[in-house]
Amino acid sequence: MKFENNHVRSLFFLCLVLMLTFQVEAKSKRKKVKLSTAGKIYVPKEIKPFKLSNTQKYDQKELGVSFEYKAEDIPVKYDYYIYPVDENISIEYAMMREYGNVMYGIKYYAEKDDGQFSVLDSAIVHINKQRVISTITQMENPDMIYLSELYLTVINNHFIKLRATFPLSANKDYGLRDKTFHLFQGLLKQTQFKSKDKSEIGINLDAKVLNVKSDQGRLALMYAIAVQSVTPKDLILDYEQFLALYQKVTEVSKELIEQGKLKSNKLKQPVSLLTIEKAGFLREVIWLGYHQDYWKEPTDLKINAFKEWIKIKGDSEISLRPKGVEVLIQR
């Protein structure tokens, strides 16, 4: 009996030592950074053949932190960013604006010395069960042709972004596009937010503009609720999801009008959402008004018919979104 107890204690001690050794080894392979908006974040120090070469934590909290990954004898460096989603823009537009800002920067850099810029491919892809915007662009100047890759998503209300620019010839020699994908796949898998996400989503109504008991106020509140129900955690809205947002608003609007709780003739819109939906052009308006590079274009859009209809209507402006309402991230 005494022998058995000693044997059990030895096994327990051995397991404890192995666990502690594993934890120390695991931590040594990760870089820890603490952000005021996210708490503790861990990123890998190496995803072969690339190693973490530099970490930059910015003074402005909205810029977050960046990590630089390099590999010997491979002519490229990767910049990996983690930074908070803006608290001052409604969540259905947050990814659109960030993607637009990033692409504007790439385009500006490409064209500043009379270079040429083009988007070769852009799509929403699934990596490790996470939806990600993947974009490849080409920048051409008299001396060389470059490729620029972007991967962008949101985790815990923080943008996760990987950027790289490299000569087209280097991509052919080193298979850099495949390496970029492999690196981002590893970064997504191994980046860990250790602190619980304490941010919340809240509806902000402009009291100076809206009275929640008015028709316009009810419409605004209804829109905000639809935004919350449709927008995914990654804040990436594809065409069908963005369309679903406005379809939901029209559906509830018609129900409220039938119940006498909403009067469509009091909704101050140049061309009302309900008028467009009734004419059968909601899909076209959403595409023309909001489409992104990473949206897949439907094959059944009636663009010419819509343009003829709006010309007959004689309206120069179309307003779908209620004013004075935002759905914001609150930290």
Side-chain angles (χ1 to χ4, degrees), residues 50 76 78 149-151 162 164 166 175-185:
F50 299 100
V76 65
Y78 291 98
E149 283 202 89
L150 167 69
Y151 285 97
L162 183 69
F166 41 80
L176 292 184
R177 290 206 60 193
D178 289 339
K179 285 181 169 59
T180 305
F181 177 84
H182 173 73
L183 175 62
F184 189 70
Q185 185 180 47

PDB file of all heavy atoms in Angstrom, residues 50 76 78 149-151 162 164 166 175-185:
ATOM      1  N   PHE A  50       9.190  32.066 -41.626  1.00  0.00           N
ATOM      2  CA  PHE A  50       9.195  33.474 -41.205  1.00  0.00           C
ATOM      3  C   PHE A  50       9.293  33.599 -39.692  1.00  0.00           C
ATOM      4  O   PHE A  50       8.640  32.871 -38.938  1.00  0.00           O
ATOM      5  CB  PHE A  50       7.936  34.182 -41.723  1.00  0.00           C
ATOM      6  CG  PHE A  50       7.848  34.183 -43.224  1.00  0.00           C
ATOM      7  CD1 PHE A  50       7.038  33.264 -43.878  1.00  0.00           C
ATOM      8  CD2 PHE A  50       8.583  35.074 -43.972  1.00  0.00           C
ATOM      9  CE1 PHE A  50       6.964  33.248 -45.261  1.00  0.00           C
ATOM     10  CE2 PHE A  50       8.521  35.070 -45.352  1.00  0.00           C
ATOM     11  CZ  PHE A  50       7.707  34.153 -45.999  1.00  0.00           C
ATOM     12  N   VAL A  76      11.088  39.520 -48.994  1.00  0.00           N
ATOM     13  CA  VAL A  76       9.794  40.111 -48.646  1.00  0.00           C
ATOM     14  C   VAL A  76       9.705  40.228 -47.131  1.00  0.00           C
ATOM     15  O   VAL A  76      10.297  39.425 -46.394  1.00  0.00           O
ATOM     16  CB  VAL A  76       8.617  39.248 -49.178  1.00  0.00           C
ATOM     17  CG1 VAL A  76       8.585  37.885 -48.506  1.00  0.00           C
ATOM     18  CG2 VAL A  76       7.286  39.963 -48.984  1.00  0.00           C
ATOM     19  N   TYR A  78       6.613  40.942 -44.091  1.00  0.00           N
ATOM     20  CA  TYR A  78       5.175  40.993 -43.891  1.00  0.00           C
ATOM     21  C   TYR A  78       4.866  41.856 -42.670  1.00  0.00           C
ATOM     22  O   TYR A  78       5.498  41.712 -41.615  1.00  0.00           O
ATOM     23  CB  TYR A  78       4.614  39.584 -43.669  1.00  0.00           C
ATOM     24  CG  TYR A  78       4.666  38.727 -44.906  1.00  0.00           C
ATOM     25  CD1 TYR A  78       5.700  37.813 -45.107  1.00  0.00           C
ATOM     26  CD2 TYR A  78       3.685  38.831 -45.882  1.00  0.00           C
ATOM     27  CE1 TYR A  78       5.750  37.024 -46.245  1.00  0.00           C
ATOM     28  CE2 TYR A  78       3.724  38.054 -47.026  1.00  0.00           C
ATOM     29  CZ  TYR A  78       4.752  37.152 -47.201  1.00  0.00           C
ATOM     30  OH  TYR A  78       4.795  36.378 -48.334  1.00  0.00           O
ATOM     31  N   GLU A 149      -0.411  42.257 -51.560  1.00  0.00           N
ATOM     32  CA  GLU A 149      -1.447  41.385 -51.007  1.00  0.00           C
ATOM     33  C   GLU A 149      -1.989  41.944 -49.706  1.00  0.00           C
ATOM     34  O   GLU A 149      -1.254  42.517 -48.895  1.00  0.00           O
ATOM     35  CB  GLU A 149      -0.895  39.990 -50.755  1.00  0.00           C
ATOM     36  CG  GLU A 149      -0.760  39.165 -52.026  1.00  0.00           C
ATOM     37  CD  GLU A 149      -0.733  37.674 -51.735  1.00  0.00           C
ATOM     38  OE1 GLU A 149      -1.820  37.059 -51.695  1.00  0.00           O
ATOM     39  OE2 GLU A 149       0.364  37.143 -51.548  1.00  0.00           O
ATOM     40  N   LEU A 150      -3.281  41.742 -49.507  1.00  0.00           N
ATOM     41  CA  LEU A 150      -3.953  42.185 -48.287  1.00  0.00           C
ATOM     42  C   LEU A 150      -4.874  41.078 -47.788  1.00  0.00           C
ATOM     43  O   LEU A 150      -5.632  40.496 -48.561  1.00  0.00           O
ATOM     44  CB  LEU A 150      -4.793  43.443 -48.571  1.00  0.00           C
ATOM     45  CG  LEU A 150      -5.806  43.855 -47.491  1.00  0.00           C
ATOM     46  CD1 LEU A 150      -5.084  44.362 -46.247  1.00  0.00           C
ATOM     47  CD2 LEU A 150      -6.761  44.918 -48.019  1.00  0.00           C
ATOM     48  N   TYR A 151      -4.778  40.793 -46.491  1.00  0.00           N
ATOM     49  CA  TYR A 151      -5.747  39.942 -45.805  1.00  0.00           C
ATOM     50  C   TYR A 151      -6.310  40.774 -44.661  1.00  0.00           C
ATOM     51  O   TYR A 151      -5.560  41.382 -43.901  1.00  0.00           O
ATOM     52  CB  TYR A 151      -5.091  38.670 -45.251  1.00  0.00           C
ATOM     53  CG  TYR A 151      -4.781  37.639 -46.303  1.00  0.00           C
ATOM     54  CD1 TYR A 151      -3.515  37.543 -46.868  1.00  0.00           C
ATOM     55  CD2 TYR A 151      -5.759  36.739 -46.730  1.00  0.00           C
ATOM     56  CE1 TYR A 151      -3.234  36.587 -47.838  1.00  0.00           C
ATOM     57  CE2 TYR A 151      -5.485  35.781 -47.693  1.00  0.00           C
ATOM     58  CZ  TYR A 151      -4.221  35.717 -48.254  1.00  0.00           C
ATOM     59  OH  TYR A 151      -3.954  34.768 -49.211  1.00  0.00           O
ATOM     60  N   LEU A 162      -2.932  41.685 -42.614  1.00  0.00           N
ATOM     61  CA  LEU A 162      -1.602  41.332 -43.090  1.00  0.00           C
ATOM     62  C   LEU A 162      -1.375  42.012 -44.428  1.00  0.00           C
ATOM     63  O   LEU A 162      -2.225  41.943 -45.315  1.00  0.00           O
ATOM     64  CB  LEU A 162      -1.471  39.809 -43.260  1.00  0.00           C
ATOM     65  CG  LEU A 162      -0.070  39.318 -43.683  1.00  0.00           C
ATOM     66  CD1 LEU A 162       0.933  39.520 -42.555  1.00  0.00           C
ATOM     67  CD2 LEU A 162      -0.108  37.842 -44.084  1.00  0.00           C
ATOM     68  N   ALA A 164       1.643  42.881 -47.569  1.00  0.00           N
ATOM     69  CA  ALA A 164       2.951  42.608 -48.163  1.00  0.00           C
ATOM     70  C   ALA A 164       2.970  43.109 -49.600  1.00  0.00           C
ATOM     71  O   ALA A 164       1.968  43.014 -50.320  1.00  0.00           O
ATOM     72  CB  ALA A 164       3.264  41.120 -48.137  1.00  0.00           C
ATOM     73  N   PHE A 166       5.654  42.932 -53.066  1.00  0.00           N
ATOM     74  CA  PHE A 166       6.883  42.302 -53.548  1.00  0.00           C
ATOM     75  C   PHE A 166       6.893  42.305 -55.084  1.00  0.00           C
ATOM     76  O   PHE A 166       5.834  42.389 -55.732  1.00  0.00           O
ATOM     77  CB  PHE A 166       6.995  40.864 -53.036  1.00  0.00           C
ATOM     78  CG  PHE A 166       5.712  40.086 -53.050  1.00  0.00           C
ATOM     79  CD1 PHE A 166       5.236  39.510 -54.223  1.00  0.00           C
ATOM     80  CD2 PHE A 166       4.964  39.950 -51.886  1.00  0.00           C
ATOM     81  CE1 PHE A 166       4.051  38.803 -54.242  1.00  0.00           C
ATOM     82  CE2 PHE A 166       3.770  39.239 -51.892  1.00  0.00           C
ATOM     83  CZ  PHE A 166       3.315  38.658 -53.072  1.00  0.00           C
ATOM     84  N   GLY A 175       7.403  31.681 -54.877  1.00  0.00           N
ATOM     85  CA  GLY A 175       6.032  31.276 -54.556  1.00  0.00           C
ATOM     86  C   GLY A 175       5.457  32.079 -53.404  1.00  0.00           C
ATOM     87  O   GLY A 175       4.871  31.524 -52.470  1.00  0.00           O
ATOM     88  N   LEU A 176       5.609  33.418 -53.476  1.00  0.00           N
ATOM     89  CA  LEU A 176       5.271  34.259 -52.336  1.00  0.00           C
ATOM     90  C   LEU A 176       3.777  34.307 -52.035  1.00  0.00           C
ATOM     91  O   LEU A 176       3.382  34.450 -50.877  1.00  0.00           O
ATOM     92  CB  LEU A 176       5.805  35.681 -52.557  1.00  0.00           C
ATOM     93  CG  LEU A 176       7.332  35.812 -52.545  1.00  0.00           C
ATOM     94  CD1 LEU A 176       7.749  37.259 -52.685  1.00  0.00           C
ATOM     95  CD2 LEU A 176       7.920  35.221 -51.268  1.00  0.00           C
ATOM     96  N   ARG A 177       2.946  34.168 -53.039  1.00  0.00           N
ATOM     97  CA  ARG A 177       1.505  34.203 -52.758  1.00  0.00           C
ATOM     98  C   ARG A 177       1.100  33.025 -51.889  1.00  0.00           C
ATOM     99  O   ARG A 177       0.303  33.164 -50.959  1.00  0.00           O
ATOM    100  CB  ARG A 177       0.701  34.220 -54.056  1.00  0.00           C
ATOM    101  CG  ARG A 177       0.818  35.541 -54.826  1.00  0.00           C
ATOM    102  CD  ARG A 177      -0.383  35.785 -55.693  1.00  0.00           C
ATOM    103  NE  ARG A 177      -1.600  35.855 -54.906  1.00  0.00           N
ATOM    104  CZ  ARG A 177      -2.826  35.814 -55.430  1.00  0.00           C
ATOM    105  NH1 ARG A 177      -2.984  35.689 -56.732  1.00  0.00           N
ATOM    106  NH2 ARG A 177      -3.887  35.881 -54.666  1.00  0.00           N
ATOM    107  N   ASP A 178       1.642  31.865 -52.179  1.00  0.00           N
ATOM    108  CA  ASP A 178       1.364  30.691 -51.339  1.00  0.00           C
ATOM    109  C   ASP A 178       1.926  30.888 -49.935  1.00  0.00           C
ATOM    110  O   ASP A 178       1.292  30.509 -48.944  1.00  0.00           O
ATOM    111  CB  ASP A 178       1.966  29.432 -51.962  1.00  0.00           C
ATOM    112  CG  ASP A 178       1.220  28.993 -53.222  1.00  0.00           C
ATOM    113  OD1 ASP A 178       0.050  29.394 -53.374  1.00  0.00           O
ATOM    114  OD2 ASP A 178       1.816  28.261 -54.031  1.00  0.00           O
ATOM    115  N   LYS A 179       3.105  31.485 -49.849  1.00  0.00           N
ATOM    116  CA  LYS A 179       3.715  31.720 -48.543  1.00  0.00           C
ATOM    117  C   LYS A 179       2.917  32.741 -47.734  1.00  0.00           C
ATOM    118  O   LYS A 179       2.800  32.638 -46.514  1.00  0.00           O
ATOM    119  CB  LYS A 179       5.166  32.180 -48.717  1.00  0.00           C
ATOM    120  CG  LYS A 179       6.123  31.051 -49.097  1.00  0.00           C
ATOM    121  CD  LYS A 179       7.552  31.550 -49.222  1.00  0.00           C
ATOM    122  CE  LYS A 179       8.537  30.388 -49.333  1.00  0.00           C
ATOM    123  NZ  LYS A 179       8.293  29.514 -50.472  1.00  0.00           N
ATOM    124  N   THR A 180       2.356  33.742 -48.427  1.00  0.00           N
ATOM    125  CA  THR A 180       1.532  34.743 -47.739  1.00  0.00           C
ATOM    126  C   THR A 180       0.308  34.082 -47.124  1.00  0.00           C
ATOM    127  O   THR A 180      -0.037  34.333 -45.969  1.00  0.00           O
ATOM    128  CB  THR A 180       1.091  35.856 -48.712  1.00  0.00           C
ATOM    129  OG1 THR A 180       2.233  36.424 -49.341  1.00  0.00           O
ATOM    130  CG2 THR A 180       0.333  36.953 -47.963  1.00  0.00           C
ATOM    131  N   PHE A 181      -0.348  33.243 -47.900  1.00  0.00           N
ATOM    132  CA  PHE A 181      -1.528  32.535 -47.396  1.00  0.00           C
ATOM    133  C   PHE A 181      -1.168  31.658 -46.204  1.00  0.00           C
ATOM    134  O   PHE A 181      -1.863  31.649 -45.186  1.00  0.00           O
ATOM    135  CB  PHE A 181      -2.143  31.677 -48.509  1.00  0.00           C
ATOM    136  CG  PHE A 181      -3.322  30.859 -48.045  1.00  0.00           C
ATOM    137  CD1 PHE A 181      -4.588  31.414 -47.996  1.00  0.00           C
ATOM    138  CD2 PHE A 181      -3.149  29.540 -47.644  1.00  0.00           C
ATOM    139  CE1 PHE A 181      -5.678  30.663 -47.546  1.00  0.00           C
ATOM    140  CE2 PHE A 181      -4.224  28.785 -47.189  1.00  0.00           C
ATOM    141  CZ  PHE A 181      -5.493  29.353 -47.149  1.00  0.00           C
ATOM    142  N   HIS A 182      -0.077  30.913 -46.335  1.00  0.00           N
ATOM    143  CA  HIS A 182       0.360  30.020 -45.253  1.00  0.00           C
ATOM    144  C   HIS A 182       0.664  30.816 -43.984  1.00  0.00           C
ATOM    145  O   HIS A 182       0.292  30.409 -42.876  1.00  0.00           O
ATOM    146  CB  HIS A 182       1.594  29.243 -45.698  1.00  0.00           C
ATOM    147  CG  HIS A 182       2.219  28.428 -44.612  1.00  0.00           C
ATOM    148  ND1 HIS A 182       1.653  27.262 -44.128  1.00  0.00           N
ATOM    149  CD2 HIS A 182       3.356  28.620 -43.878  1.00  0.00           C
ATOM    150  CE1 HIS A 182       2.417  26.770 -43.171  1.00  0.00           C
ATOM    151  NE2 HIS A 182       3.454  27.576 -42.995  1.00  0.00           N
ATOM    152  N   LEU A 183       1.321  31.963 -44.145  1.00  0.00           N
ATOM    153  CA  LEU A 183       1.658  32.795 -42.986  1.00  0.00           C
ATOM    154  C   LEU A 183       0.401  33.315 -42.312  1.00  0.00           C
ATOM    155  O   LEU A 183       0.259  33.227 -41.082  1.00  0.00           O
ATOM    156  CB  LEU A 183       2.546  33.965 -43.417  1.00  0.00           C
ATOM    157  CG  LEU A 183       2.879  34.992 -42.324  1.00  0.00           C
ATOM    158  CD1 LEU A 183       3.665  34.347 -41.196  1.00  0.00           C
ATOM    159  CD2 LEU A 183       3.651  36.170 -42.915  1.00  0.00           C
ATOM    160  N   PHE A 184      -0.539  33.850 -43.095  1.00  0.00           N
ATOM    161  CA  PHE A 184      -1.752  34.409 -42.479  1.00  0.00           C
ATOM    162  C   PHE A 184      -2.593  33.308 -41.838  1.00  0.00           C
ATOM    163  O   PHE A 184      -3.187  33.511 -40.776  1.00  0.00           O
ATOM    164  CB  PHE A 184      -2.583  35.170 -43.510  1.00  0.00           C
ATOM    165  CG  PHE A 184      -3.710  35.949 -42.888  1.00  0.00           C
ATOM    166  CD1 PHE A 184      -3.451  37.074 -42.117  1.00  0.00           C
ATOM    167  CD2 PHE A 184      -5.024  35.551 -43.041  1.00  0.00           C
ATOM    168  CE1 PHE A 184      -4.473  37.796 -41.517  1.00  0.00           C
ATOM    169  CE2 PHE A 184      -6.058  36.261 -42.452  1.00  0.00           C
ATOM    170  CZ  PHE A 184      -5.773  37.387 -41.687  1.00  0.00           C
ATOM    171  N   GLN A 185      -2.628  32.148 -42.464  1.00  0.00           N
ATOM    172  CA  GLN A 185      -3.349  31.022 -41.888  1.00  0.00           C
ATOM    173  C   GLN A 185      -2.765  30.675 -40.516  1.00  0.00           C
ATOM    174  O   GLN A 185      -3.503  30.452 -39.539  1.00  0.00           O
ATOM    175  CB  GLN A 185      -3.248  29.817 -42.832  1.00  0.00           C
ATOM    176  CG  GLN A 185      -4.066  28.613 -42.394  1.00  0.00           C
ATOM    177  CD  GLN A 185      -3.913  27.456 -43.375  1.00  0.00           C
ATOM    178  OE1 GLN A 185      -2.790  27.117 -43.781  1.00  0.00           O
ATOM    179  NE2 GLN A 185      -5.030  26.870 -43.782  1.00  0.00           N
TER     180      GLN A 185
END
